[in-house]
């Protein structure tokens, strides 16, 4: 199996939304029913038409009615972030109302949709750069540090706030081609420096990759296209080599009764760009892909056994144990590099099924969002210290800049 990250640059050129609010509403309700049949569909429907009314006569740069943006954000939350509670969907639909609708008070949202929804919408609004700068009266140099602080407080209190901010940014990045060139670069720079680290720390790998690639495209289109073309050529030239070596790996595992699934994961353009920025030449990069082995078990000891089997069959150049020393984003894996035929290095990751789920879904694999009751992330003292140190490093770097 192979996984190649891809995305459409002009995401909504043929968007079905914005022509008929009734059809758009039914589309959202059907998507919601698919993830959780126990959602309060009537309440979501009321919130949708409230959103349409509050944003009436307002259009996005694309020319689409403004309500299509919160609609798309809600769909991202449901279909891509695995959120399955009524209040999260409603808060998504209303996430721009307090900031954009003149005269609208938090109390009105409380009266119509309850305290929980109002608190989420209010928290999302307060994390906006403009709002923080207005409240604190600080320079732009300290703005990101204060915004990170607000984000962390919101994360500990209610993780849904962060997810809505990420879904909001993801849709804005998907429709960035409608903005001016200066806006594209400014928003992309903010995305790389602000939202990508958050997605990374939450283990939202697919979201992180898409944000990175889209931002890279708008910041340095020439380099993005050069790397994309070069990667296409290298993949074509090396695909048979990769497949042959993958077969050798699978044979070794099967001979030792290690049932598994093997996936060839191609690295995305921004990941290669970072390697080049570290001084590597594109022509010298062999590991422009990773081989991921997911063992058909949740017994972590089998990961070590699998590594031992492969280390005996092939030469290895490195070994990092992210199982006993897991990352801050709950990611666990054994990382190693094997020397393949012709001396080429192969990056290899070994996981259990549970570890794979966390690698794919991040913290969403650890916490259930079906009922909306599990909102607070119960960090250990060590995890809180790690988060605090990470954020302090960012704030210090910004201060030095």
């Amino acid at each position: 199996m192979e996984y190649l990250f891809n995305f459409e640059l002009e995401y909504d050129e043929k968007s079905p939304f914005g022509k008929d609010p009734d059809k758009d509403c039914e589309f959202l309700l059907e998507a919601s029913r698919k993830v959780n049949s126990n959602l309060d569909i009537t309440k979501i429907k009321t919130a949708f038409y409230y959103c349409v009314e509050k944003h009436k006569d307002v259009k996005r740069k694309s020319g689409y009615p403004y309500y299509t943006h919160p609609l798309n954000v809600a769909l991202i939350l449901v279909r891509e972030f695995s959120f399955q509670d009524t209040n999260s969907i409603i808060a998504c639909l209303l996430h721009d109302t307090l900031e954009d609708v003149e005269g609208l008070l938090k109390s009105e949202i409380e009266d119509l949709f309850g305290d929980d929804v109002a608190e989420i919408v209010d928290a999302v609004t307060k994390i906006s750069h403009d709002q923080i700068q207005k409240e604190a009266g600080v320079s732009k140099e300290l703005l990101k540090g204060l915004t990170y602080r607000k984000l962390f407080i919101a994360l500990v209190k209610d993780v849904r706030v962060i997810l809505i901010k990420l879904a909001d940014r993801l849709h804005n990045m998907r429709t960035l081609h409608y903005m001016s060139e200066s806006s594209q670069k400014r928003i992309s720079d903010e995305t790389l420096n602000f939202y990508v680290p958050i997605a990374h720390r939450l283990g939202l790998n697919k979201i992180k990759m898409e944000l990175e690639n889209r931002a890279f495209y708008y910041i340095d289109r020439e380099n993005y296209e050069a790397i994309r073309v070069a990667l296409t050529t290298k993949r074509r030239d090396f695909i048979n080599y990769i497949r042959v070596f993958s077969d050798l790996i699978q044979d070794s595992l099967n001979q030792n009764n290690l049932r598994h699934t093997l996936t060839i994961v191609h690295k995305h353009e921004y990941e290669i760009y970072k390697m080049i920025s570290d001084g590597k030449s594109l022509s010298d990069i062999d590991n422009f892909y990773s081989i991921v082995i997911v063992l058909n078990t949740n017994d972590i000891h089998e990961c070590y056994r699998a590594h031992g089997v492969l280390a005996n069959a092939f030469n290895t150049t490195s070994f990092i144990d992210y199982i006993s020393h897991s990352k801050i984003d709950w990611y666990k894996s054994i990382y190693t590099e094997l020397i393949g035929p012709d001396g080429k290095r192969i990056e290899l990751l070994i996981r259990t099924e549970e570890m794979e789920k966390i690698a794919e879904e991040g913290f969403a694999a650890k916490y259930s969002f079906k009922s909306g009751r599990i909102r607070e992330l119960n960090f250990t003292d060590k995890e809180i210290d790690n988060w605090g140190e990470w954020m302090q490093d960012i704030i210090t770097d910004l201060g030095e800049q």
Side-chain angles (χ1 to χ4, degrees):
M1 183 167 64
E2 291 185 46
Y3 176 73
L4 176 60
F5 176 74
N6 242 325
F7 65 94
E8 298 176 59
L9 286 172
E10 298 183 348
Y11 173 75
D12 70 343
E13 279 293 333
K14 298 179 181 179
S15 172
F17 305 130
K19 299 174 183 177
D20 186 338
D22 293 336
K23 289 184 178 179
D24 295 344
C25 181
E26 186 51 42
F27 188 95
L28 172 64
L29 298 182
E30 183 58 28
S32 301
R33 290 188 192 99
K34 284 181 180 178
V35 297
N36 187 352
S37 59
N38 295 319
L39 291 171
D40 190 335
I41 295 299
T42 301
K43 196 174 180 182
I44 294 172
K45 184 175 182 179
T46 300
F48 174 82
Y49 284 108
Y50 181 84
C51 166
V52 172
E53 174 62 25
K54 291 300 179 183
H55 294 298
K56 68 179 180 181
D57 301 325
V58 181
K59 292 188 180 295
R60 304 244 303 161
K61 291 284 187 182
S62 62
Y64 290 106
Y66 193 88
Y67 79 83
T68 60
H69 169 63
L71 167 61
N72 274 290
V73 174
L75 288 169
I76 288 172
L77 202 74
V78 169
R79 300 193 295 189
E80 300 181 50
F81 287 8
S82 303
F83 260 69
Q84 302 174 30
D85 75 287
T86 298
N87 286 349
S88 294
I89 298 171
I90 292 173
C92 253
L93 292 170
L94 307 183
H95 79 270
D96 277 335
T97 53
L98 284 180
E99 186 174 5
D100 294 345
V101 179
E102 188 175 354
L104 179 63
L105 299 176
K106 178 183 174 183
S107 57
E108 181 176 324
I109 295 178
E110 286 178 352
D111 292 340
L112 291 171
F113 302 103
D115 293 347
D116 189 40
V117 170
E119 288 296 330
I120 298 173
V121 175
D122 186 50
V124 169
T125 303
K126 286 180 177 177
I127 291 173
S128 74
H129 275 37
D130 292 341
Q131 183 71 14
I132 292 173
Q133 192 167 28
K134 180 180 178 182
E135 288 178 1
V138 299
S139 64
K140 290 183 178 179
E141 286 74 19
L142 294 177
L143 183 56
K144 278 182 185 154
L146 286 173
T147 310
Y148 269 115
R149 185 175 182 275
K150 291 258 187 180
L151 267 173
F152 183 64
I153 292 171
L155 175 67
V156 174
K157 186 176 180 182
D158 193 335
V159 70
R160 295 173 297 175
V161 174
I162 308 303
L163 266 292
I164 291 173
K165 287 297 294 183
L166 281 171
D168 176 43
R169 177 50 56 115
L170 184 57
H171 184 249
N172 282 331
M173 289 300 294
R174 286 174 175 176
T175 55
L176 199 59
H177 52 285
Y178 292 112
M179 305 293 285
S180 66
E181 185 176 346
S182 61
S183 294
Q184 289 173 350
K185 291 189 175 183
R186 174 181 57 79
I187 294 169
S188 295
D189 184 65
E190 180 183 277
T191 298
L192 279 180
N193 290 296
F194 182 70
Y195 288 96
V196 164
I198 292 293
H200 175 61
R201 287 304 183 271
L202 293 177
L204 299 169
N205 194 43
K206 289 182 180 178
I207 304 304
K208 169 184 168 286
M209 286 195 299
E210 182 172 349
L211 289 175
E212 284 178 332
N213 256 19
R214 289 185 182 279
F216 178 32
Y217 174 79
Y218 288 110
I219 289 173
D220 191 348
R221 194 169 305 188
E222 184 177 343
N223 255 329
Y224 174 88
E225 288 294 347
I227 291 173
R228 184 186 63 80
V229 171
L231 276 180
T232 300
T233 301
K234 286 180 77 73
R235 285 165 183 154
R236 184 179 62 245
D237 293 344
F238 282 88
I239 191 62
N240 288 333
Y241 170 87
I242 299 167
R243 288 171 178 166
V244 168
F245 189 58
S246 296
D247 288 342
L248 294 175
I249 291 173
Q250 293 200 89
D251 287 344
S252 295
L253 294 174
N254 289 335
Q255 287 169 13
N256 287 273
N257 296 316
L258 286 159
R259 303 301 171 214
H260 65 279
T261 300
L262 184 148
T263 304
I264 300 169
V265 180
H266 296 263
K267 293 183 177 178
H268 60 298
E269 285 76 3
Y270 186 72
E271 195 171 2
I272 298 298
Y273 170 74
K274 288 195 296 183
M275 295 170 72
I276 294 173
S277 298
D278 288 338
K280 295 183 180 179
S281 168
L282 183 60
S283 60
D284 295 332
I285 297 175
D286 290 331
N287 58 336
F288 55 92
Y289 56 89
S290 299
I291 293 178
V292 177
I293 294 170
V294 179
L295 301 174
N296 299 348
T297 178
N298 284 323
D299 182 354
I300 64 173
H301 299 96
E302 290 294 271
C303 293
Y304 297 104
R305 188 164 79 87
H307 176 263
V309 167
L310 296 176
N312 286 329
F314 309 95
N315 290 326
T316 61
T317 62
S318 63
F319 172 81
I320 303 176
D321 186 356
Y322 290 123
I323 295 177
S324 58
H325 304 287
S326 60
K327 293 184 176 182
I328 196 171
D329 58 3
W330 303 286
Y331 172 91
K332 291 184 178 182
S333 221
I334 284 180
Y335 171 93
T336 189
E337 285 187 345
L338 305 181
I339 304 299
D342 302 328
K344 292 183 174 61
R345 292 191 304 169
I346 310 295
E347 187 177 280
L348 187 74
L349 300 166
I350 305 172
R351 304 169 182 152
T352 65
E353 291 175 332
E354 184 179 10
M355 293 175 198
E356 172 68 4
K357 186 173 177 61
I358 292 173
E360 288 293 309
E361 301 178 16
F363 73 98
K366 283 175 65 85
Y367 298 93
S368 170
F369 301 109
K370 290 183 179 180
S371 66
R373 292 176 185 169
I374 302 178
R375 297 196 304 273
E376 296 186 5
L377 295 185
N378 295 316
F379 289 120
T380 65
D381 290 341
K382 182 178 179 181
E383 287 172 330
I384 290 174
D385 288 343
N386 288 339
W387 271 87
E389 289 171 7
W390 168 67
M391 294 181 65
Q392 187 59 51
D393 287 343
I394 292 174
I395 294 170
T396 300
D397 290 343
L398 289 166
E400 290 176 353
Q401 292 171 16

